[in-house]
Amino acid sequence: MKVTYLGHASLSVEMKGKNIIFDPFISGNELAQNIDVNSLKADYILLTHGHADHVADVEVIVKNTGAKIVSNFEVVNWFAPKGVTGHPMNHGGKWKFDFGTVKFVNAIHSSSMPDGSYGGNPGGFVVWNNEKCFYVAGDTALTEDMKIIPKTTPKLDFCVLPIGDNFTMGYEEALIASDYLKCDTVIAYHYDTFGYIVIDKDTVKKAFKEAGKKIIFLEIGESIDM
Ligand code: NI
Ligand code: MN
């Protein structure tokens, strides 16, 4: 399974020959100017919530690739009149796609669409198949709801957690989340993009090392085999 960081909370994951993009926000991200949105491959786009820093590039990617979106009911409905087809989900539910099973799980955050309309409740995704299982938290506070995940999904191989603080949990809570999730390999995201979420990576790396956990910081555009 190949994971490519596209900056902010955007990731591309290649699994079972399919390309899955999470929360595309690339063209509006000054730090991600090395990524050409028009070159991205996608079969599915998974959207944790409706905020612009998670959905901004959906339409262009769908236009280029014909990808299908997967998100909560309200986000999928909002995109439908724009010619974007989608698979609606809601919290606690799972569905088997051709690349694996997707479970939509709780997040503590807000969700409105770029035009201010209602975006339903935000979530995160647990994705698994017979090779790997991983969790993409989306924008969220630390919540004990995360304790449910290892009880209801296969063992997580890695998790992708926001660590930028201010709009989401910070790295201190990500350490606790990692305990709740029973998963010691964390890919960091949702940091540095805006002034409010600039972090000191060395502090974060030190804290994870002291806790005996692994934190992975990917360069924007960098891929890793997980
Ligand atoms: Ni958000
Ligand atoms: Mn966000």
Side-chain angles (χ1 to χ4, degrees):
M1 179 182 298
K2 190 170 92 169
V3 178
T4 303
Y5 186 45
L6 303 175
H8 194 52
S10 305
L11 300 163
S12 171
V13 177
E14 198 181 320
M15 56 194 291
K16 297 277 179 192
K18 301 288 176 186
N19 290 285
I20 299 120
I21 292 179
F22 290 83
D23 289 356
F25 169 66
I26 296 141
S27 56
N29 181 359
E30 278 177 29
L31 302 182
Q33 293 312 300
N34 60 326
I35 309 281
D36 175 12
V37 177
N38 292 308
S39 72
L40 295 175
K41 291 185 205 158
D43 297 287
Y44 297 90
I45 304 172
L46 271 55
L47 303 171
T48 60
H49 64 296
H51 288 160
D53 63 315
H54 296 256
V55 305
D57 289 315
V58 167
E59 283 176 71
V60 63
I61 296 170
V62 167
K63 195 167 151 259
N64 288 339
T65 63
K68 194 172 180 175
I69 63 167
V70 179
S71 190
N72 73 20
F73 183 78
E74 291 80 5
V75 170
V76 169
N77 275 354
W78 187 82
F79 274 107
K82 302 174 185 300
V84 174
T85 58
H87 178 107
M89 298 187 75
N90 221 321
H91 300 81
K94 61 180 181 295
W95 183 261
K96 205 168 177 178
F97 292 88
D98 52 6
F99 58 89
T101 299
V102 174
K103 186 174 173 83
F104 192 62
V105 298
N106 296 356
I108 304 282
H109 191 65
S110 58
S111 176
S112 48
M113 305 311 302
D115 64 359
S117 59
Y118 179 58
N121 286 319
F125 295 102
V126 185
V127 181
W128 69 88
N129 57 31
N130 58 359
E131 291 168 359
K132 294 283 172 187
C133 179
F134 65 98
Y135 167 50
V136 176
D139 288 6
T140 185
L142 175 67
T143 162
E144 292 202 347
D145 288 350
M146 291 169 180
K147 291 181 178 175
I148 298 170
I149 291 174
K151 293 178 183 174
T152 54
T153 71
K155 185 174 168 34
L156 292 171
D157 293 291
F158 64 97
C159 54
V160 183
L161 302 179
I163 61 154
D165 222 322
N166 193 73
F167 295 119
T168 67
M169 61 182 168
Y171 75 90
E172 304 95 325
E173 289 84 13
L175 277 167
I176 299 168
S178 152
D179 287 339
Y180 289 175
L181 295 162
K182 301 186 192 302
C183 176
D184 287 339
T185 302
V186 177
I187 296 178
Y189 83 166
H190 213 279
Y191 63 90
D192 280 0
T193 321
F194 324 111
Y196 289 123
I197 61 172
V198 172
I199 60 152
D200 176 41
K201 284 186 203 168
D202 288 335
T203 304
V204 179
K205 285 177 188 167
K206 190 165 168 268
F208 271 73
K209 199 176 173 191
E210 279 169 7
K213 296 175 187 290
K214 184 176 180 183
I215 184 136
I216 299 168
F217 285 100
L218 295 172
E219 297 294 328
I220 297 173
E222 185 183 352
S223 297
I224 186 171
D225 278 313
M226 296 300 294

